[in-house]
Amino acid sequence: MSDAKQLYTLLWMSRPLMQATEAVVERGLEGTGLTVRTRAVLEILLANGAATVPELANKLEIKRQYVQLMVNETLAEGLTSKQPNPRHKRSTMIALTEKGRALVEAAVGREMALVRSIGAEVDPGDVEAALKVVTSLIEKLKSEIGDT
């Protein structure tokens, strides 16, 4: 197979990879009350601390309006709370509650156990190389559309 054809195949394999990943994550969330989208918000907050909706949208690389809907779900479930934003009076910070922290930490823990299991026989050098290739492709594709 030519280099271009292999790269083309790699690019298109990202979709089934993400669909399979989402299905596994969704299955792992059964019984928690979390959805894949609320879990995504909670994971960003766990990793980075309190954030505004625009900051969350930037991290998730999706539209702010959609993230606001996701945040509203987490607020309604008591997984997050609004906190004052010292940088801006009208734009509140969204922070994890203890309930939200416990749920997302448990979900991420289960996912990491699965990742360790399925990756047990994968060469770490191959993973490092794959990360470099995927990161480079993302940067190049984003530059093609002017989204850098």
Side-chain angles (χ1 to χ4, degrees):
M1 187 181 302
S2 73
D3 290 345
K5 181 68 174 165
Q6 284 184 306
L7 187 55
Y8 184 83
T9 300
L10 174 64
L11 288 166
W12 284 103
M13 292 296 294
S14 65
R15 185 174 176 89
L17 174 62
M18 283 306 303
Q19 288 173 326
T21 301
E22 187 171 328
V24 168
V25 168
E26 189 171 43
R27 186 179 69 200
L29 295 175
E30 288 176 2
T32 67
L34 294 176
T35 63
V36 171
R37 68 189 203 172
T38 56
R39 180 225 168 275
V41 168
L42 299 181
E43 184 178 22
I44 296 294
L45 294 172
L46 180 65
N48 301 294
T52 64
V53 169
E55 290 168 341
L56 290 167
N58 186 50
K59 290 277 188 192
L60 292 166
E61 297 190 27
I62 55 179
K63 293 188 183 296
R64 187 201 61 76
Q65 294 85 350
Y66 187 60
V67 173
Q68 184 64 63
L69 294 173
M70 296 160 63
V71 166
N72 290 348
E73 290 178 32
T74 67
L75 290 165
E77 294 295 322
L79 305 174
T80 60
S81 65
K82 291 182 178 181
Q83 305 291 322
N85 182 349
R87 298 175 307 213
H88 194 281
K89 289 184 181 182
R90 289 184 15 191
S91 179
T92 60
M93 301 290 283
I94 305 301
L96 284 174
T97 61
E98 286 305 314
K99 177 183 176 183
R101 179 176 303 282
L103 280 173
V104 74
E105 284 177 345
V108 170
R110 285 189 302 276
E111 293 163 10
M112 288 305 296
L114 175 62
V115 168
R116 281 189 290 277
S117 172
I118 64 174
E121 296 183 26
V122 177
D123 184 302
D126 289 345
V127 174
E128 185 178 342
L131 283 170
K132 285 180 184 175
V133 169
V134 169
T135 300
S136 174
L137 290 172
I138 290 168
E139 289 171 3
K140 289 175 182 178
L141 289 168
K142 282 183 173 185
S143 74
E144 283 291 317
I145 59 169
D147 184 18
T148 54

